[in-house]
Short mmCIF file of all heavy atoms in Angstrom, two decimals:
data_model
loop_
_atom_site.label_atom_id
_atom_site.label_comp_id
_atom_site.label_asym_id
_atom_site.label_seq_id
_atom_site.Cartn_x
_atom_site.Cartn_y
_atom_site.Cartn_z
N ILE A 233 73.14 165.41 244.75
CA ILE A 233 73.30 166.33 246.06
C ILE A 233 74.86 166.28 246.34
O ILE A 233 75.29 165.24 246.84
CB ILE A 233 72.50 165.85 247.12
CG1 ILE A 233 71.04 165.85 246.75
CG2 ILE A 233 72.67 166.76 248.30
CD1 ILE A 233 70.06 165.22 247.89
N GLY A 234 75.51 167.36 246.19
CA GLY A 234 76.94 167.36 246.35
C GLY A 234 77.51 167.53 247.83
O GLY A 234 78.62 167.33 248.03
N SER A 235 76.59 167.83 248.66
CA SER A 235 77.01 168.02 250.10
C SER A 235 76.69 166.79 250.88
O SER A 235 75.70 166.06 250.73
CB SER A 235 76.10 169.13 250.66
OG SER A 235 76.05 169.01 252.07
N GLN A 236 77.62 166.45 251.82
CA GLN A 236 77.46 165.17 252.64
C GLN A 236 77.61 165.43 254.13
O GLN A 236 77.82 164.55 254.87
CB GLN A 236 78.43 164.02 252.14
CG GLN A 236 79.84 164.46 252.27
CD GLN A 236 80.75 163.26 251.70
OE1 GLN A 236 81.08 163.26 250.55
NE2 GLN A 236 80.98 162.29 252.51
N ARG A 237 77.46 166.72 254.50
CA ARG A 237 77.57 167.04 255.93
C ARG A 237 76.31 166.64 256.64
O ARG A 237 75.24 166.45 256.05
CB ARG A 237 77.71 168.54 256.10
CG ARG A 237 78.96 169.10 255.53
CD ARG A 237 79.16 170.64 256.00
NE ARG A 237 77.93 171.33 255.91
CZ ARG A 237 77.29 171.96 256.83
NH1 ARG A 237 77.71 171.97 258.08
NH2 ARG A 237 76.11 172.64 256.59
N LYS A 238 76.45 166.57 257.97
CA LYS A 238 75.23 166.41 258.85
C LYS A 238 75.43 167.41 260.05
O LYS A 238 76.49 167.24 260.67
CB LYS A 238 75.18 165.05 259.46
CG LYS A 238 74.34 164.13 258.70
CD LYS A 238 74.25 162.83 259.61
CE LYS A 238 73.89 161.59 258.73
NZ LYS A 238 74.34 160.42 259.20
N PRO A 239 74.77 168.50 260.19
CA PRO A 239 73.59 168.92 259.31
C PRO A 239 74.09 169.49 257.98
O PRO A 239 75.17 169.89 257.84
CB PRO A 239 72.86 169.86 260.16
CG PRO A 239 73.96 170.60 260.89
CD PRO A 239 74.95 169.47 261.21
N ARG A 240 73.09 169.78 257.14
CA ARG A 240 73.44 170.42 255.89
C ARG A 240 72.12 171.07 255.34
O ARG A 240 71.03 170.69 255.84
CB ARG A 240 73.93 169.43 254.90
CG ARG A 240 72.90 168.32 254.39
CD ARG A 240 73.26 167.29 253.48
NE ARG A 240 72.27 166.39 253.30
CZ ARG A 240 72.42 165.31 252.40
NH1 ARG A 240 73.52 165.09 251.73
NH2 ARG A 240 71.41 164.52 252.26
N CYS A 241 72.26 171.87 254.34
CA CYS A 241 71.06 172.49 253.63
C CYS A 241 70.94 171.87 252.27
O CYS A 241 69.98 172.20 251.54
CB CYS A 241 71.13 173.99 253.61
SG CYS A 241 72.44 174.62 252.57
N GLY A 242 71.95 171.12 251.80
CA GLY A 242 72.02 170.74 250.45
C GLY A 242 70.73 169.83 249.96
O GLY A 242 70.26 170.02 248.82
N ASP A 243 70.20 169.16 250.86
CA ASP A 243 68.94 168.36 250.55
C ASP A 243 67.76 169.25 250.24
O ASP A 243 67.06 169.04 249.27
CB ASP A 243 68.73 167.25 251.52
CG ASP A 243 68.77 167.78 252.93
OD1 ASP A 243 69.18 168.96 253.22
OD2 ASP A 243 68.34 167.02 253.91
N GLN A 244 67.61 170.34 251.00
CA GLN A 244 66.58 171.34 250.79
C GLN A 244 66.78 171.99 249.52
O GLN A 244 65.75 172.20 248.75
CB GLN A 244 66.57 172.39 251.98
CG GLN A 244 66.18 171.98 253.26
CD GLN A 244 66.32 173.25 254.21
OE1 GLN A 244 65.64 174.23 254.06
NE2 GLN A 244 67.17 173.09 255.18
N ILE A 245 67.98 172.37 249.14
CA ILE A 245 68.21 173.11 247.95
C ILE A 245 67.99 172.21 246.72
O ILE A 245 67.37 172.62 245.68
CB ILE A 245 69.54 173.73 247.96
CG1 ILE A 245 69.65 174.75 249.08
CG2 ILE A 245 69.86 174.39 246.67
CD1 ILE A 245 71.00 175.43 249.32
N VAL A 323 73.78 169.72 242.16
CA VAL A 323 73.42 170.81 243.06
C VAL A 323 74.46 170.72 244.21
O VAL A 323 74.45 169.74 245.01
CB VAL A 323 72.03 170.59 243.65
CG1 VAL A 323 71.65 171.59 244.69
CG2 VAL A 323 70.94 170.50 242.54
N THR A 324 75.29 171.81 244.24
CA THR A 324 76.44 171.60 245.17
C THR A 324 76.75 172.90 245.88
O THR A 324 76.79 173.97 245.27
CB THR A 324 77.70 171.13 244.34
OG1 THR A 324 78.75 171.04 245.19
CG2 THR A 324 78.05 172.14 243.17
N PRO A 325 77.20 172.83 247.10
CA PRO A 325 77.82 174.00 247.84
C PRO A 325 79.24 174.29 247.29
O PRO A 325 79.85 173.42 246.69
CB PRO A 325 77.80 173.54 249.31
CG PRO A 325 78.07 172.04 249.22
CD PRO A 325 77.31 171.63 247.99
N GLN A 326 79.63 175.39 247.66
CA GLN A 326 81.01 175.81 247.39
C GLN A 326 81.80 175.53 248.77
O GLN A 326 81.30 176.13 249.73
CB GLN A 326 81.20 177.27 246.91
CG GLN A 326 82.69 177.76 246.85
CD GLN A 326 82.72 179.05 246.19
OE1 GLN A 326 82.30 179.26 245.15
NE2 GLN A 326 83.27 180.10 246.96
N TYR A 327 82.92 174.83 248.72
CA TYR A 327 83.63 174.63 249.87
C TYR A 327 84.99 175.42 249.69
O TYR A 327 85.79 174.76 248.76
CB TYR A 327 83.83 173.27 250.27
CG TYR A 327 82.66 172.47 250.97
CD1 TYR A 327 82.67 171.17 251.22
CD2 TYR A 327 81.56 173.21 251.38
CE1 TYR A 327 81.42 170.57 251.70
CE2 TYR A 327 80.43 172.66 251.88
CZ TYR A 327 80.39 171.26 252.14
OH TYR A 327 79.29 170.64 252.77
N ASN A 328 85.39 176.36 250.46
CA ASN A 328 86.73 176.94 250.28
C ASN A 328 87.02 177.26 248.88
O ASN A 328 88.06 176.86 248.36
CB ASN A 328 87.74 176.11 250.96
CG ASN A 328 87.48 176.03 252.48
OD1 ASN A 328 87.25 177.08 253.09
ND2 ASN A 328 87.50 174.86 253.06
N TRP A 329 86.12 177.85 248.11
CA TRP A 329 86.22 178.27 246.73
C TRP A 329 86.33 177.07 245.75
O TRP A 329 86.66 177.19 244.59
CB TRP A 329 87.41 179.21 246.55
CG TRP A 329 87.31 180.53 247.09
CD1 TRP A 329 86.75 180.96 248.29
CD2 TRP A 329 87.88 181.78 246.66
NE1 TRP A 329 86.75 182.24 248.60
CE2 TRP A 329 87.53 182.71 247.56
CE3 TRP A 329 88.60 182.12 245.53
CZ2 TRP A 329 87.91 184.10 247.41
CZ3 TRP A 329 88.95 183.45 245.41
CH2 TRP A 329 88.60 184.40 246.31
N GLY A 330 85.97 175.84 246.23
CA GLY A 330 86.08 174.72 245.33
C GLY A 330 84.94 173.74 245.48
O GLY A 330 83.92 174.01 245.97
N PRO A 332 83.24 170.33 246.82
CA PRO A 332 83.25 169.54 247.98
C PRO A 332 84.03 168.16 247.71
O PRO A 332 83.81 167.63 246.55
CB PRO A 332 81.84 169.19 248.28
CG PRO A 332 81.00 170.33 247.68
CD PRO A 332 81.82 170.74 246.49
N TYR A 356 75.71 176.93 245.23
CA TYR A 356 75.14 177.86 246.30
C TYR A 356 76.28 178.19 247.38
O TYR A 356 77.28 177.42 247.47
CB TYR A 356 73.88 177.33 247.04
CG TYR A 356 74.12 175.99 247.71
CD1 TYR A 356 74.46 175.78 248.93
CD2 TYR A 356 73.80 174.71 246.87
CE1 TYR A 356 74.56 174.52 249.55
CE2 TYR A 356 73.93 173.49 247.54
CZ TYR A 356 74.30 173.40 248.84
OH TYR A 356 74.41 172.20 249.37
N GLY A 357 75.97 179.34 247.88
CA GLY A 357 76.99 179.85 248.97
C GLY A 357 76.73 181.27 249.30
O GLY A 357 75.74 181.91 248.74
N GLY A 358 77.63 181.87 250.12
CA GLY A 358 77.43 183.34 250.50
C GLY A 358 77.43 184.19 249.35
O GLY A 358 76.67 185.15 249.22
N HIS A 359 78.14 183.92 248.24
CA HIS A 359 78.17 184.71 247.08
C HIS A 359 77.76 183.78 245.80
O HIS A 359 78.29 183.92 244.71
CB HIS A 359 79.49 185.30 246.78
CG HIS A 359 79.94 186.17 247.88
ND1 HIS A 359 79.43 187.51 248.06
CD2 HIS A 359 80.77 186.00 248.93
CE1 HIS A 359 79.92 188.03 249.11
NE2 HIS A 359 80.76 187.06 249.77
N GLY A 360 76.95 182.87 246.11
CA GLY A 360 76.48 181.97 245.00
C GLY A 360 77.30 180.79 244.69
O GLY A 360 76.92 180.02 243.76
N GLY A 361 78.44 180.67 245.27
CA GLY A 361 79.32 179.50 244.96
C GLY A 361 79.81 179.43 243.52
O GLY A 361 79.99 178.34 242.92
N ASP A 362 80.03 180.65 242.99
CA ASP A 362 80.48 180.76 241.56
C ASP A 362 81.83 180.14 241.21
O ASP A 362 82.00 179.63 240.14
CB ASP A 362 80.35 182.17 241.00
CG ASP A 362 81.30 183.14 241.78
OD1 ASP A 362 81.30 182.97 243.05
OD2 ASP A 362 81.84 184.01 241.18
N LYS A 363 82.72 180.06 242.20
CA LYS A 363 83.94 179.51 242.00
C LYS A 363 83.91 178.00 241.94
O LYS A 363 84.58 177.42 241.14
CB LYS A 363 85.02 179.97 243.12
CG LYS A 363 85.10 181.50 243.16
CD LYS A 363 86.37 182.05 243.76
CE LYS A 363 86.51 183.57 243.55
NZ LYS A 363 85.22 184.24 243.79
N CYS A 364 83.08 177.47 242.75
CA CYS A 364 82.79 175.98 242.66
C CYS A 364 82.16 175.67 241.36
O CYS A 364 82.55 174.64 240.66
CB CYS A 364 81.91 175.67 243.81
SG CYS A 364 81.33 173.79 243.64
N LEU A 387 73.31 180.31 243.45
CA LEU A 387 72.28 180.67 244.51
C LEU A 387 72.99 181.32 245.68
O LEU A 387 73.77 180.62 246.42
CB LEU A 387 71.41 179.55 244.95
CG LEU A 387 70.57 178.83 243.77
CD1 LEU A 387 70.00 177.50 244.32
CD2 LEU A 387 69.48 179.79 243.23
N PHE A 389 73.02 183.04 249.44
CA PHE A 389 72.21 183.28 250.63
C PHE A 389 72.13 184.87 250.80
O PHE A 389 73.19 185.54 250.80
CB PHE A 389 72.91 182.68 251.81
CG PHE A 389 72.99 181.19 251.64
CD1 PHE A 389 74.21 180.53 251.65
CD2 PHE A 389 71.89 180.37 251.68
CE1 PHE A 389 74.30 179.10 251.40
CE2 PHE A 389 71.84 179.08 251.55
CZ PHE A 389 73.13 178.38 251.41
N MET A 394 70.87 183.90 256.94
CA MET A 394 70.51 182.75 256.18
C MET A 394 71.76 181.84 256.08
O MET A 394 71.45 180.55 256.04
CB MET A 394 70.11 183.21 254.86
CG MET A 394 68.66 183.55 254.77
SD MET A 394 67.58 182.08 255.06
CE MET A 394 65.91 182.84 255.14
N LEU A 395 72.84 182.38 255.92
CA LEU A 395 74.08 181.48 255.79
C LEU A 395 74.25 180.58 257.01
O LEU A 395 74.57 179.43 256.92
CB LEU A 395 75.29 182.41 255.55
CG LEU A 395 76.65 181.70 255.21
CD1 LEU A 395 76.52 180.88 253.95
CD2 LEU A 395 77.70 182.71 255.09
N TYR A 396 73.97 181.20 258.17
CA TYR A 396 74.08 180.42 259.46
C TYR A 396 73.01 179.41 259.48
O TYR A 396 73.27 178.29 259.98
CB TYR A 396 74.06 181.36 260.67
CG TYR A 396 75.14 182.29 260.75
CD1 TYR A 396 75.13 183.60 261.26
CD2 TYR A 396 76.53 181.80 260.55
CE1 TYR A 396 76.32 184.38 261.31
CE2 TYR A 396 77.64 182.61 260.63
CZ TYR A 396 77.46 183.93 261.02
OH TYR A 396 78.56 184.87 261.12
N LYS A 397 71.80 179.82 259.13
CA LYS A 397 70.68 178.86 259.09
C LYS A 397 71.04 177.57 258.20
O LYS A 397 70.79 176.52 258.53
CB LYS A 397 69.49 179.57 258.55
CG LYS A 397 68.47 180.00 259.61
CD LYS A 397 67.22 180.41 258.91
CE LYS A 397 66.06 180.42 259.85
NZ LYS A 397 64.82 181.06 259.29
N ALA A 398 71.55 178.03 256.94
CA ALA A 398 71.82 176.96 255.98
C ALA A 398 72.92 175.96 256.59
O ALA A 398 72.74 174.76 256.54
CB ALA A 398 72.40 177.58 254.76
N ALA A 399 73.86 176.51 257.22
CA ALA A 399 75.03 175.76 257.76
C ALA A 399 74.54 174.79 258.84
O ALA A 399 75.06 173.71 259.03
CB ALA A 399 76.17 176.63 258.24
N ALA A 400 73.51 175.28 259.59
CA ALA A 400 72.87 174.48 260.61
C ALA A 400 71.84 173.59 260.19
O ALA A 400 71.22 172.81 260.94
CB ALA A 400 72.33 175.40 261.79
N GLY A 401 71.59 173.50 258.87
CA GLY A 401 70.51 172.60 258.33
C GLY A 401 69.13 173.03 258.76
O GLY A 401 68.22 172.19 258.62
N LEU A 404 64.88 176.58 255.41
CA LEU A 404 65.24 177.75 254.64
C LEU A 404 63.86 178.22 253.96
O LEU A 404 63.95 179.27 253.26
CB LEU A 404 66.33 177.52 253.67
CG LEU A 404 67.68 177.13 254.17
CD1 LEU A 404 68.63 176.91 252.96
CD2 LEU A 404 68.23 178.13 255.11
C1 FMN B 263 84.08 173.20 254.60
C2 FMN B 263 83.21 174.45 254.30
C3 FMN B 263 83.77 175.32 253.38
C4 FMN B 263 82.92 176.49 252.99
N1 FMN B 263 83.45 177.38 252.08
C5 FMN B 263 82.60 178.27 251.62
C6 FMN B 263 83.01 179.13 250.55
O1 FMN B 263 84.11 178.98 249.99
N2 FMN B 263 82.13 180.12 250.21
C7 FMN B 263 80.87 180.20 250.71
O2 FMN B 263 80.13 181.11 250.30
N3 FMN B 263 80.47 179.45 251.75
C8 FMN B 263 81.31 178.52 252.21
N4 FMN B 263 80.86 177.74 253.21
C9 FMN B 263 79.55 177.87 253.81
C10 FMN B 263 78.44 177.17 253.06
O3 FMN B 263 78.01 177.95 251.97
C11 FMN B 263 77.31 176.84 254.05
O4 FMN B 263 77.85 176.27 255.24
C12 FMN B 263 76.34 175.85 253.46
O5 FMN B 263 75.35 175.48 254.36
C13 FMN B 263 77.12 174.58 252.92
O6 FMN B 263 76.16 173.71 252.24
P1 FMN B 263 75.78 172.32 252.86
O7 FMN B 263 75.02 172.66 254.22
O8 FMN B 263 74.78 171.70 251.94
O9 FMN B 263 77.00 171.49 253.17
C14 FMN B 263 81.59 176.59 253.59
C15 FMN B 263 81.16 175.62 254.33
C16 FMN B 263 81.95 174.45 254.76
C17 FMN B 263 81.33 173.40 255.62
#
Side-chain angles (χ1 to χ4, degrees):
I233 306 177
S235 152
Q236 60 183 95
R237 295 188 312 122
K238 266 189 205 155
R240 66 177 177 183
C241 66
D243 46 353
Q244 290 179 59
I245 297 177
V323 179
T324 179
Q326 171 171 303
Y327 284 172
N328 297 314
W329 291 32
Y356 55 91
H359 301 284
D362 58 321
K363 299 203 173 45
C364 170
L387 301 170
F389 297 116
M394 272 298 174
L395 187 60
Y396 292 139
K397 261 186 157 173
L404 301 178

